[in-house]
CSV table of all heavy atoms in Angstrom, one decimal:
chain,number,residue,atom,x,y,z
A,132,CYS,N,-8.3,-9.5,1.8
A,132,CYS,CA,-7.3,-10.2,1.0
A,132,CYS,C,-7.5,-11.7,1.0
A,132,CYS,O,-8.0,-12.3,1.9
A,132,CYS,CB,-5.9,-9.9,1.7
A,132,CYS,SG,-5.3,-8.2,1.5
A,133,LYS,N,-7.3,-12.3,-0.2
A,133,LYS,CA,-7.4,-13.7,-0.3
A,133,LYS,C,-6.4,-14.5,0.4
A,133,LYS,O,-6.6,-15.6,0.9
A,133,LYS,CB,-7.4,-14.1,-1.8
A,133,LYS,CG,-8.6,-13.6,-2.6
A,133,LYS,CD,-8.4,-14.0,-4.1
A,133,LYS,CE,-8.2,-15.5,-4.3
A,133,LYS,NZ,-8.0,-15.8,-5.7
A,134,GLY,N,-5.2,-13.9,0.5
A,134,GLY,CA,-4.0,-14.6,1.1
A,134,GLY,C,-3.5,-13.8,2.3
A,134,GLY,O,-4.1,-12.8,2.8
A,135,GLU,N,-2.3,-14.1,2.6
A,135,GLU,CA,-1.6,-13.4,3.7
A,135,GLU,C,-1.2,-12.0,3.3
A,135,GLU,O,-0.9,-11.7,2.1
A,135,GLU,CB,-0.4,-14.2,4.2
A,135,GLU,CG,-0.7,-15.5,4.8
A,135,GLU,CD,0.6,-16.2,5.3
A,135,GLU,OE1,1.2,-15.7,6.2
A,135,GLU,OE2,0.9,-17.3,4.8
A,136,ALA,N,-1.1,-11.1,4.3
A,136,ALA,CA,-0.8,-9.7,4.0
A,136,ALA,C,-0.1,-9.1,5.2
A,136,ALA,O,-0.5,-9.3,6.3
A,136,ALA,CB,-2.0,-8.9,3.6
A,137,TYR,N,1.0,-8.4,4.9
A,137,TYR,CA,1.8,-7.8,6.1
A,137,TYR,C,2.2,-6.4,5.7
A,137,TYR,O,2.4,-6.0,4.5
A,137,TYR,CB,3.0,-8.6,6.4
A,137,TYR,CG,2.7,-10.0,6.7
A,137,TYR,CD1,2.7,-11.1,5.8
A,137,TYR,CD2,2.3,-10.4,8.0
A,137,TYR,CE1,2.4,-12.4,6.1
A,137,TYR,CE2,2.0,-11.7,8.4
A,137,TYR,CZ,2.1,-12.7,7.4
A,137,TYR,OH,1.8,-14.0,7.7
A,138,LEU,N,2.4,-5.5,6.7
A,138,LEU,CA,2.8,-4.2,6.6
A,138,LEU,C,4.0,-4.0,7.5
A,138,LEU,O,3.9,-4.3,8.7
A,138,LEU,CB,1.7,-3.2,6.9
A,138,LEU,CG,2.1,-1.7,7.1
A,138,LEU,CD1,2.6,-1.1,5.8
A,138,LEU,CD2,1.0,-0.9,7.7
A,139,VAL,N,5.1,-3.4,7.0
A,139,VAL,CA,6.3,-3.0,7.7
A,139,VAL,C,6.5,-1.6,7.5
A,139,VAL,O,6.8,-1.2,6.3
A,139,VAL,CB,7.5,-3.9,7.4
A,139,VAL,CG1,8.7,-3.5,8.2
A,139,VAL,CG2,7.2,-5.4,7.5
A,140,ARG,N,6.5,-0.8,8.5
A,140,ARG,CA,6.6,0.7,8.4
A,140,ARG,C,7.6,1.3,9.3
A,140,ARG,O,7.7,0.9,10.5
A,140,ARG,CB,5.3,1.4,8.6
A,140,ARG,CG,5.3,2.9,8.4
A,140,ARG,CD,3.9,3.6,8.5
A,140,ARG,NE,3.4,3.5,9.9
A,140,ARG,CZ,3.8,4.3,10.9
A,140,ARG,NH1,4.7,5.2,10.7
A,140,ARG,NH2,3.3,4.1,12.1
A,141,TYR,N,8.4,2.2,8.9
A,141,TYR,CA,9.3,3.0,9.7
A,141,TYR,C,9.1,4.5,9.3
A,141,TYR,O,9.5,4.9,8.2
A,141,TYR,CB,10.7,2.6,9.5
A,141,TYR,CG,11.7,3.3,10.5
A,141,TYR,CD1,11.9,2.8,11.8
A,141,TYR,CD2,12.3,4.5,10.1
A,141,TYR,CE1,12.8,3.4,12.6
A,141,TYR,CE2,13.2,5.1,11.0
A,141,TYR,CZ,13.4,4.6,12.2
A,141,TYR,OH,14.3,5.2,13.1
A,142,ALA,N,8.5,5.3,10.2
A,142,ALA,CA,8.2,6.7,10.0
A,142,ALA,C,7.3,6.7,8.7
A,142,ALA,O,6.2,6.1,8.7
A,142,ALA,CB,9.4,7.5,9.8
A,143,ASP,N,7.7,7.4,7.6
A,143,ASP,CA,6.8,7.5,6.4
A,143,ASP,C,7.3,6.5,5.3
A,143,ASP,O,6.8,6.6,4.2
A,143,ASP,CB,6.8,8.9,5.9
A,143,ASP,CG,8.2,9.4,5.5
A,143,ASP,OD1,9.2,8.7,5.8
A,143,ASP,OD2,8.3,10.4,4.8
A,144,ASP,N,8.2,5.6,5.6
A,144,ASP,CA,8.6,4.6,4.7
A,144,ASP,C,8.1,3.2,5.0
A,144,ASP,O,8.2,2.8,6.2
A,144,ASP,CB,10.2,4.6,4.7
A,144,ASP,CG,10.8,4.0,3.4
A,144,ASP,OD1,10.0,3.6,2.5
A,144,ASP,OD2,12.0,3.9,3.3
A,145,PHE,N,7.5,2.6,4.1
A,145,PHE,CA,6.9,1.3,4.4
A,145,PHE,C,6.9,0.3,3.2
A,145,PHE,O,7.0,0.7,2.1
A,145,PHE,CB,5.4,1.5,4.9
A,145,PHE,CG,4.5,2.1,3.9
A,145,PHE,CD1,3.7,1.4,3.0
A,145,PHE,CD2,4.4,3.5,3.9
A,145,PHE,CE1,2.9,2.0,2.2
A,145,PHE,CE2,3.5,4.1,3.0
A,145,PHE,CZ,2.8,3.4,2.1
A,146,VAL,N,6.8,-1.0,3.6
A,146,VAL,CA,6.7,-2.1,2.6
A,146,VAL,C,5.5,-2.9,2.9
A,146,VAL,O,5.3,-3.3,4.1
A,146,VAL,CB,8.0,-2.9,2.6
A,146,VAL,CG1,7.9,-4.1,1.7
A,146,VAL,CG2,9.2,-2.1,2.2
A,147,CYS,N,4.8,-3.3,1.9
A,147,CYS,CA,3.6,-4.2,2.1
A,147,CYS,C,3.9,-5.5,1.3
A,147,CYS,O,4.4,-5.4,0.2
A,147,CYS,CB,2.3,-3.5,1.6
A,147,CYS,SG,1.9,-2.0,2.5
A,148,CYS,N,3.5,-6.6,2.0
A,148,CYS,CA,3.8,-7.9,1.4
A,148,CYS,C,2.4,-8.6,1.2
A,148,CYS,O,1.7,-8.7,2.2
A,148,CYS,CB,4.7,-8.7,2.2
A,148,CYS,SG,6.2,-7.9,2.7
A,149,PHE,N,2.2,-9.2,0.0
A,149,PHE,CA,1.0,-9.9,-0.2
A,149,PHE,C,1.3,-11.3,-0.8
A,149,PHE,O,2.2,-11.4,-1.6
A,149,PHE,CB,0.1,-9.1,-1.2
A,149,PHE,CG,-0.4,-7.8,-0.6
A,149,PHE,CD1,0.4,-6.6,-0.9
A,149,PHE,CD2,-1.5,-7.7,0.1
A,149,PHE,CE1,0.0,-5.4,-0.3
A,149,PHE,CE2,-2.0,-6.5,0.6
A,149,PHE,CZ,-1.2,-5.3,0.4
A,150,GLN,N,0.5,-12.2,-0.5
A,150,GLN,CA,0.7,-13.6,-1.0
A,150,GLN,C,0.3,-13.6,-2.5
A,150,GLN,O,0.9,-14.3,-3.3
A,150,GLN,CB,-0.1,-14.6,-0.2
A,150,GLN,CG,0.0,-16.0,-0.6
A,150,GLN,CD,-0.7,-17.0,0.3
A,150,GLN,OE1,-1.4,-16.6,1.3
A,150,GLN,NE2,-0.7,-18.3,0.0
A,151,TYR,N,-0.8,-12.9,-2.8
A,151,TYR,CA,-1.3,-12.9,-4.2
A,151,TYR,C,-1.2,-11.5,-4.9
A,151,TYR,O,-1.4,-10.5,-4.2
A,151,TYR,CB,-2.8,-13.3,-4.2
A,151,TYR,CG,-3.0,-14.7,-3.7
A,151,TYR,CD1,-3.6,-15.0,-2.5
A,151,TYR,CD2,-2.5,-15.9,-4.4
A,151,TYR,CE1,-3.8,-16.3,-2.0
A,151,TYR,CE2,-2.7,-17.1,-3.9
A,151,TYR,CZ,-3.4,-17.3,-2.7
A,151,TYR,OH,-3.5,-18.6,-2.2
A,152,GLN,N,-0.8,-11.5,-6.2
A,152,GLN,CA,-0.7,-10.3,-6.9
A,152,GLN,C,-1.9,-9.5,-6.9
A,152,GLN,O,-1.9,-8.3,-6.8
A,152,GLN,CB,-0.2,-10.6,-8.3
A,152,GLN,CG,0.1,-9.4,-9.1
A,152,GLN,CD,0.5,-9.7,-10.6
A,152,GLN,OE1,0.6,-10.9,-10.9
A,152,GLN,NE2,0.9,-8.7,-11.3
A,153,GLU,N,-3.1,-10.1,-7.1
A,153,GLU,CA,-4.3,-9.4,-7.2
A,153,GLU,C,-4.6,-8.6,-5.9
A,153,GLU,O,-5.2,-7.5,-6.0
A,153,GLU,CB,-5.5,-10.3,-7.5
A,153,GLU,CG,-5.7,-11.4,-6.5
A,153,GLU,CD,-6.7,-12.5,-6.9
A,153,GLU,OE1,-7.9,-12.2,-6.8
A,153,GLU,OE2,-6.3,-13.5,-7.5
A,154,ASP,N,-4.2,-9.1,-4.8
A,154,ASP,CA,-4.4,-8.4,-3.5
A,154,ASP,C,-3.5,-7.1,-3.5
A,154,ASP,O,-3.9,-6.1,-3.1
A,154,ASP,CB,-4.0,-9.3,-2.3
A,154,ASP,CG,-5.1,-10.3,-2.0
A,154,ASP,OD1,-6.3,-10.1,-2.5
A,154,ASP,OD2,-4.8,-11.3,-1.4
A,155,ALA,N,-2.3,-7.3,-4.0
A,155,ALA,CA,-1.3,-6.2,-4.1
A,155,ALA,C,-1.8,-5.1,-5.0
A,155,ALA,O,-1.8,-3.9,-4.7
A,155,ALA,CB,0.0,-6.7,-4.5
A,156,VAL,N,-2.3,-5.4,-6.2
A,156,VAL,CA,-2.8,-4.5,-7.1
A,156,VAL,C,-4.1,-3.7,-6.6
A,156,VAL,O,-4.2,-2.5,-6.7
A,156,VAL,CB,-3.2,-5.1,-8.5
A,156,VAL,CG1,-3.9,-4.2,-9.4
A,156,VAL,CG2,-2.0,-5.7,-9.1
A,157,ARG,N,-5.0,-4.5,-6.0
A,157,ARG,CA,-6.2,-3.8,-5.4
A,157,ARG,C,-5.8,-2.9,-4.2
A,157,ARG,O,-6.3,-1.8,-4.1
A,157,ARG,CB,-7.1,-4.9,-4.9
A,157,ARG,CG,-8.5,-4.4,-4.4
A,157,ARG,CD,-9.5,-5.5,-4.3
A,157,ARG,NE,-9.1,-6.5,-3.3
A,157,ARG,CZ,-8.7,-7.7,-3.7
A,157,ARG,NH1,-8.8,-8.1,-4.9
A,157,ARG,NH2,-8.3,-8.6,-2.8
A,158,PHE,N,-4.8,-3.3,-3.4
A,158,PHE,CA,-4.4,-2.5,-2.3
A,158,PHE,C,-3.7,-1.2,-2.8
A,158,PHE,O,-3.9,-0.1,-2.3
A,158,PHE,CB,-3.4,-3.2,-1.4
A,158,PHE,CG,-2.7,-2.3,-0.5
A,158,PHE,CD1,-3.3,-1.9,0.7
A,158,PHE,CD2,-1.3,-2.0,-0.7
A,158,PHE,CE1,-2.6,-1.0,1.6
A,158,PHE,CE2,-0.6,-1.2,0.2
A,158,PHE,CZ,-1.3,-0.7,1.3
A,159,TYR,N,-2.9,-1.3,-3.9
A,159,TYR,CA,-2.2,-0.1,-4.4
A,159,TYR,C,-3.2,1.0,-4.9
A,159,TYR,O,-3.0,2.1,-4.6
A,159,TYR,CB,-1.3,-0.6,-5.6
A,159,TYR,CG,-0.6,0.6,-6.2
A,159,TYR,CD1,0.4,1.2,-5.6
A,159,TYR,CD2,-0.9,1.0,-7.5
A,159,TYR,CE1,1.2,2.3,-6.1
A,159,TYR,CE2,-0.2,2.0,-8.1
A,159,TYR,CZ,0.9,2.7,-7.4
A,159,TYR,OH,1.5,3.7,-8.0
A,160,GLN,N,-4.3,0.5,-5.5
A,160,GLN,CA,-5.3,1.5,-6.0
A,160,GLN,C,-6.0,2.1,-4.8
A,160,GLN,O,-6.3,3.3,-4.7
A,160,GLN,CB,-6.3,0.8,-6.9
A,160,GLN,CG,-5.7,0.3,-8.2
A,160,GLN,CD,-5.0,1.4,-9.0
A,160,GLN,OE1,-5.5,2.5,-9.0
A,160,GLN,NE2,-3.9,1.0,-9.6
A,161,ALA,N,-6.3,1.3,-3.8
A,161,ALA,CA,-7.0,1.8,-2.6
A,161,ALA,C,-6.1,2.7,-1.8
A,161,ALA,O,-6.6,3.6,-1.1
A,161,ALA,CB,-7.5,0.6,-1.7
A,162,LEU,N,-4.8,2.4,-1.7
A,162,LEU,CA,-3.9,3.2,-0.9
A,162,LEU,C,-3.9,4.6,-1.4
A,162,LEU,O,-3.8,5.6,-0.6
A,162,LEU,CB,-2.5,2.6,-1.0
A,162,LEU,CG,-1.4,3.3,-0.3
A,162,LEU,CD1,-1.7,3.4,1.2
A,162,LEU,CD2,0.0,2.6,-0.6
A,163,LYS,N,-3.8,4.8,-2.7
A,163,LYS,CA,-3.8,6.2,-3.3
A,163,LYS,C,-5.0,7.0,-2.8
A,163,LYS,O,-4.9,8.2,-2.5
A,163,LYS,CB,-3.6,6.2,-4.8
A,163,LYS,CG,-2.3,5.6,-5.3
A,163,LYS,CD,-2.1,5.8,-6.8
A,163,LYS,CE,-3.0,4.8,-7.5
A,163,LYS,NZ,-2.7,4.8,-9.0
A,164,LYS,N,-6.2,6.4,-2.9
A,164,LYS,CA,-7.4,7.0,-2.4
A,164,LYS,C,-7.4,7.3,-0.9
A,164,LYS,O,-7.8,8.3,-0.5
A,164,LYS,CB,-8.6,6.2,-2.8
A,164,LYS,CG,-8.8,6.0,-4.4
A,164,LYS,CD,-10.0,5.1,-4.7
A,164,LYS,CE,-10.1,4.9,-6.2
A,164,LYS,NZ,-11.3,4.0,-6.5
A,165,ARG,N,-6.9,6.3,-0.2
A,165,ARG,CA,-6.9,6.5,1.3
A,165,ARG,C,-6.0,7.6,1.7
A,165,ARG,O,-6.3,8.5,2.5
A,165,ARG,CB,-6.3,5.2,1.9
A,165,ARG,CG,-6.1,5.2,3.4
A,165,ARG,CD,-7.3,5.3,4.2
A,165,ARG,NE,-7.0,5.3,5.6
A,165,ARG,CZ,-8.0,5.4,6.6
A,165,ARG,NH1,-9.3,5.5,6.2
A,165,ARG,NH2,-7.7,5.3,7.9
A,166,LEU,N,-4.8,7.7,1.1
A,166,LEU,CA,-3.9,8.8,1.5
A,166,LEU,C,-4.4,10.2,1.0
A,166,LEU,O,-4.2,11.2,1.7
A,166,LEU,CB,-2.5,8.5,0.8
A,166,LEU,CG,-1.7,7.3,1.3
A,166,LEU,CD1,-0.4,7.2,0.6
A,166,LEU,CD2,-1.5,7.4,2.8
A,167,ALA,N,-5.1,10.2,-0.1
A,167,ALA,CA,-5.6,11.5,-0.6
A,167,ALA,C,-6.6,12.1,0.4
A,167,ALA,O,-6.7,13.3,0.5
A,167,ALA,CB,-6.3,11.3,-2.0
A,168,LYS,N,-7.3,11.2,1.1
A,168,LYS,CA,-8.3,11.7,2.1
A,168,LYS,C,-7.6,12.5,3.2
A,168,LYS,O,-8.3,13.3,3.8
A,168,LYS,CB,-9.1,10.5,2.7
A,168,LYS,CG,-10.0,9.8,1.7
A,168,LYS,CD,-10.8,8.7,2.5
A,168,LYS,CE,-11.8,8.1,1.6
A,168,LYS,NZ,-12.5,7.0,2.3
A,169,PHE,N,-6.4,12.2,3.4
A,169,PHE,CA,-5.6,12.9,4.5
A,169,PHE,C,-4.5,13.8,4.0
A,169,PHE,O,-3.5,14.1,4.7
A,169,PHE,CB,-5.0,11.8,5.4
A,169,PHE,CG,-6.0,11.0,6.1
A,169,PHE,CD1,-6.5,9.8,5.5
A,169,PHE,CD2,-6.6,11.3,7.3
A,169,PHE,CE1,-7.4,9.0,6.1
A,169,PHE,CE2,-7.6,10.5,7.9
A,169,PHE,CZ,-8.0,9.3,7.3
A,170,ASN,N,-4.7,14.3,2.7
A,170,ASN,CA,-3.8,15.2,2.1
A,170,ASN,C,-2.4,14.7,2.0
A,170,ASN,O,-1.4,15.4,2.1
A,170,ASN,CB,-3.8,16.6,2.9
A,170,ASN,CG,-5.1,17.3,2.8
A,170,ASN,OD1,-5.7,17.3,1.8
A,170,ASN,ND2,-5.5,17.8,4.0
A,171,LEU,N,-2.3,13.4,1.7
A,171,LEU,CA,-1.0,12.7,1.5
A,171,LEU,C,-1.0,12.1,0.1
A,171,LEU,O,-2.1,11.8,-0.4
A,171,LEU,CB,-0.8,11.6,2.6
A,171,LEU,CG,-0.7,12.1,4.0
A,171,LEU,CD1,-0.6,10.9,5.0
A,171,LEU,CD2,0.5,13.0,4.3
A,172,GLU,N,0.2,11.8,-0.4
A,172,GLU,CA,0.3,11.1,-1.7
A,172,GLU,C,1.6,10.3,-1.7
A,172,GLU,O,2.5,10.6,-1.0
A,172,GLU,CB,0.3,12.1,-2.8
A,172,GLU,CG,1.4,13.2,-2.8
A,172,GLU,CD,1.2,14.2,-3.9
A,172,GLU,OE1,0.2,14.3,-4.5
A,172,GLU,OE2,2.3,14.8,-4.2
A,173,LEU,N,1.6,9.3,-2.6
A,173,LEU,CA,2.7,8.5,-2.7
A,173,LEU,C,3.8,9.2,-3.6
A,173,LEU,O,3.5,10.0,-4.5
A,173,LEU,CB,2.4,7.2,-3.4
A,173,LEU,CG,1.4,6.2,-2.6
A,173,LEU,CD1,0.9,5.1,-3.6
A,173,LEU,CD2,2.1,5.6,-1.4
A,174,VAL,N,5.1,8.9,-3.3
A,174,VAL,CA,6.1,9.3,-4.2
A,174,VAL,C,6.2,8.2,-5.3
A,174,VAL,O,6.7,7.1,-5.1
A,174,VAL,CB,7.5,9.4,-3.5
A,174,VAL,CG1,8.6,9.8,-4.4
A,174,VAL,CG2,7.4,10.4,-2.3
A,175,ILE,N,5.6,8.5,-6.5
A,175,ILE,CA,5.4,7.5,-7.5
A,175,ILE,C,6.7,6.9,-8.0
A,175,ILE,O,6.7,5.6,-8.2
A,175,ILE,CB,4.7,8.2,-8.7
A,175,ILE,CG1,3.4,8.7,-8.3
A,175,ILE,CG2,4.5,7.1,-9.8
A,175,ILE,CD1,2.4,7.7,-7.7
A,176,ASP,N,7.8,7.6,-8.1
A,176,ASP,CA,9.1,7.0,-8.6
A,176,ASP,C,9.7,6.1,-7.5
A,176,ASP,O,10.7,5.4,-7.8
A,176,ASP,CB,10.0,8.0,-9.1
A,176,ASP,CG,10.4,9.0,-8.0
A,176,ASP,OD1,9.8,9.1,-6.9
A,176,ASP,OD2,11.4,9.8,-8.2
A,177,LYS,N,9.2,6.1,-6.3
A,177,LYS,CA,9.7,5.2,-5.3
A,177,LYS,C,8.7,4.2,-4.9
A,177,LYS,O,8.9,3.5,-3.9
A,177,LYS,CB,10.1,6.0,-4.0
A,177,LYS,CG,11.2,7.0,-4.2
A,177,LYS,CD,11.6,7.7,-3.0
A,177,LYS,CE,12.8,8.7,-3.2
A,177,LYS,NZ,13.2,9.4,-1.9
A,178,THR,N,7.6,4.1,-5.6
A,178,THR,CA,6.6,3.1,-5.3
A,178,THR,C,6.3,2.2,-6.5
A,178,THR,O,6.2,2.6,-7.6
A,178,THR,CB,5.2,3.9,-5.0
A,178,THR,OG1,5.5,4.8,-4.0
A,178,THR,CG2,4.2,2.9,-4.6
């Protein structure tokens, strides 16, 4: 990440904070691939 980044999670609910929008967009794309590796997926209407 170019700037600051933080993760706050409680069980399966979490919020990620990024200083720069480009970091957030890149993370969102990587997150979907990361979760898919472990048979998990995002709830799109809540993300």
Side-chain angles (χ1 to χ4, degrees):
C132 289
K133 291 178 57 180
E135 296 183 61
Y137 301 95
L138 166 69
V139 181
R140 181 178 66 81
Y141 185 87
D143 62 345
D144 200 1
F145 59 93
V146 174
C147 297
C148 310
F149 296 91
Q150 184 176 358
Y151 297 111
Q152 182 180 4
E153 57 189 280
D154 287 337
V156 173
R157 187 166 58 250
F158 168 74
Y159 180 68
Q160 298 301 324
L162 177 63
K163 291 188 288 186
K164 296 178 181 179
R165 173 70 177 179
L166 295 181
K168 290 182 179 180
F169 297 90
N170 296 318
L171 299 173
E172 60 183 19
L173 295 170
V174 180
I175 300 301
D176 60 347
K177 295 183 179 180
T178 306

